Amino acid sequence: MRCHHFESGECRSCTLLDVPHRRQIADGSARVRELLAPYLAPTGIAAAPDPWLAPIPSAESRFRARAKMAVTGTAAAPVLTLPGQKLGADLCDCPLYPRSVEAVLEGAKALIRRAQVPPYDVARRRGEIKNVLVTVTPDGEHQVRLVLRSERALDRIREHLPALLSAQPSIVSVSANLHPEHTSQVEGQREIHLAGTESIPVRTGEVTLFARPQSFLQTNTEVAGRLYRQGAAWIAQSASDRAADPSPERDSPHPAPDSPHPEEGSPYRVWDLYCGLGGFALHTALALPDAEVTGVEASAHAIDGAREAAAAQDLPVTFLTADATGWAAERAAETGPPDAVIVNPPRRGLGRHLSAWLENSGVRDVVYSSCNPTTLAADLAQMPSLRIVAGRWVDMFPHTEHAEVIVRLQRTDPA
């Protein structure tokens, strides 16, 4: 991919842009394989001598579904750049975004000029608009969010918003996010709906997710779809393996001491912890129509979107707003552990408590999707009974050092 902002030195956020894309994939995959080598299943447990499948590649450009732009300049001449950029170049035409995003960002600049909303000055702590956030769907629809310091400019924005919507009919959802604090966080807690729908449908893999303003959505939609398909395929394979071997050791997930035993003949149970908008859970329900699938997520915004998606596609998934660690421990004490668990934690990983619960739960099959292989390795070090039997490096963030990886874990004898 060529980028004139990178070549001129105006923007260096794509730190690996001068490295050929194929080499980025090869090098990133090699680093992850080396990092996770101590956690591979022993011979005889893994299905193949080399558990690593081919990486999931991304397009080199136009792949980013979410634009997060900081507003600088003046109300008469706003500039949209990346948060943290010191040079302040206008990056509306960044080649990471689909071409339609540039027109929407230019429309947002026109709205700022018409409404005379002063950009927030970090040094002086003055001004109103901090960021413009745009999400684009595979169908070319856009969600726009304006991150403001206060409500002072809202009346002017409402007055001039129809001009933006008329010029950019692909914008189907607009909201204002209030972020009064002087912090590096991109957005605040309060969202004010301004126009259009409350959520936007995002076709991802085999399902349609419904993204609400404050819910997490993977930034690379095409790659995310392949990621969800892979996780669901591994869960389906685990269910098939269990059905093909009805021995007592395989007939239940080895409940922890004092936990209830699942009833014989009960449906295959899958828990998707940190389920977000439900990508893994919904794909799993498609792959295993008779399974009992439950998704758990702390964000109420995400769960609202996940429930909307399940209802729209008639998929029998239960979505709950709860802390993943506390819910898993309490639910397992009541009903016994599930047959399989999917985890997709934030960058900090599972942490000590959830890792300990998984290690001691008796759950035989786990799919772990990680956006930070370092914390994945730390979690695996705390779960010596669960080892990698298959894995894939995922090119979610081309041209950067950030890495996504998904691994299939199976229970072995404790180390």
Side-chain angles (χ1 to χ4, degrees):
M1 183 185 82
R2 299 291 298 274
C3 175
H4 65 279
H5 296 295
F6 183 87
E7 293 169 354
S8 67
E10 293 177 329
C11 175
R12 308 297 290 186
S13 61
C14 293
T15 56
L16 300 181
L17 194 56
D18 52 356
V19 178
H21 191 215
R22 288 186 179 181
R23 182 178 163 191
Q24 293 178 31
I25 294 173
D27 290 350
S29 177
R31 286 193 296 270
V32 167
R33 290 169 65 126
E34 181 179 6
L35 174 67
L36 300 181
Y39 310 108
L40 300 184
T43 303
I45 300 296
D50 182 2
W52 291 101
L53 306 179
I56 297 176
S58 169
E60 292 190 47
S61 63
R62 311 296 177 191
F63 58 83
R64 274 190 81 94
R66 310 196 84 175
K68 298 182 179 181
M69 309 298 283
V71 186
T72 62
T74 65
V79 174
L80 298 186
T81 189
L82 295 182
Q85 283 284 336
K86 297 181 179 180
L87 299 178
D90 194 292
L91 301 176
C92 288
D93 61 344
C94 171
L96 297 183
Y97 305 133
R99 296 187 187 279
S100 63
V101 172
E102 180 179 356
V104 172
L105 292 173
E106 291 291 348
K109 286 162 60 177
L111 173 63
I112 293 168
R113 288 194 296 268
R114 292 191 190 100
Q116 283 296 287
V117 186
Y120 183 69
D121 187 310
V122 176
R124 297 181 179 182
R125 301 193 179 190
R126 297 167 59 181
E128 283 301 315
I129 187 161
K130 295 184 174 183
N131 301 300
V132 173
L133 312 179
V134 175
T135 299
V136 57
T137 76
D139 297 315
E141 294 182 329
H142 297 86
Q143 178 188 74
V144 175
R145 303 172 63 207
L146 308 172
V147 182
L148 306 172
R149 185 186 185 190
S150 72
E151 297 185 50
R152 292 176 184 173
L154 271 182
D155 287 342
R156 300 197 304 276
I157 289 173
R158 287 191 176 101
E159 177 186 354
H160 295 281
L161 186 57
L164 171 63
L165 299 178
S166 176
Q168 302 294 332
S170 65
I171 299 175
V172 298
S173 175
V174 183
S175 63
N177 177 272
L178 298 189
H179 185 19
E181 292 82 12
H182 182 74
T183 70
S184 60
Q185 292 180 332
V186 174
E187 60 187 86
Q189 295 296 317
R190 186 180 171 197
E191 199 84 15
I192 300 174
H193 181 71
L194 298 180
T197 59
E198 295 282 353
S199 63
I200 58 171
V202 184
R203 288 187 298 106
T204 310
E206 307 300 327
V207 305
T208 296
L209 305 179
F210 285 80
R212 295 182 177 236
Q214 291 183 289
S215 56
F216 172 78
L217 180 72
Q218 291 283 8
T219 190
N220 194 325
T221 305
E222 175 61 30
V223 168
R226 297 184 65 185
L227 177 73
Y228 297 145
R229 289 188 189 109
Q230 180 62 80
W234 280 339
I235 294 294
Q237 183 61 55
S238 297
S240 177
D241 292 346
R242 186 74 55 84
D245 184 359
S247 62
E249 290 77 10
R250 298 290 294 276
D251 192 44
S252 75
H254 303 292
D258 301 324
S259 67
H261 195 292
E263 294 182 9
E264 185 176 354
S266 60
Y268 194 82
R269 293 193 302 154
V270 183
W271 292 353
D272 180 3
L273 308 180
Y274 300 104
C275 69
L277 290 172
F280 281 113
L282 295 168
H283 277 82
T284 298
L286 278 176
L288 289 171
D290 296 327
E292 181 185 293
V293 183
T294 304
V296 181
E297 167 63 49
S299 168
H301 300 287
I303 290 299
D304 287 343
R307 288 172 176 166
E308 185 178 3
Q313 292 153 103
D314 195 24
L315 291 172
V317 183
T318 300
F319 287 107
L320 304 171
T321 304
D323 170 71
T325 303
W327 181 88
E330 292 175 9
R331 184 64 173 167
E334 295 172 358
T335 67
D339 296 281
V341 170
I342 303 166
V343 287
N344 185 19
R347 288 188 59 81
R348 65 178 181 271
L350 299 178
R352 177 168 57 90
H353 296 295
L354 188 51
S355 296
W357 178 81
L358 280 171
E359 168 66 15
N360 297 315
S361 67
V363 173
R364 181 181 177 276
D365 295 288
V366 177
V367 170
Y368 189 140
S369 179
S370 169
C371 62
N372 187 348
T374 300
T375 55
L376 167 60
D379 289 338
L380 290 174
Q382 299 184 71
M383 301 186 295
S385 295
L386 291 163
R387 284 295 173 255
I388 298 171
V389 296
R392 295 189 83 173
W393 187 84
V394 183
D395 191 23
M396 188 71 76
F397 316 103
H399 318 306
T400 74
E401 295 280 358
H402 297 297
E404 182 97 14
V405 62
I406 184 169
V407 293
R408 179 185 180 189
L409 309 176
Q410 285 187 349
R411 185 166 297 276
T412 66
D413 290 334

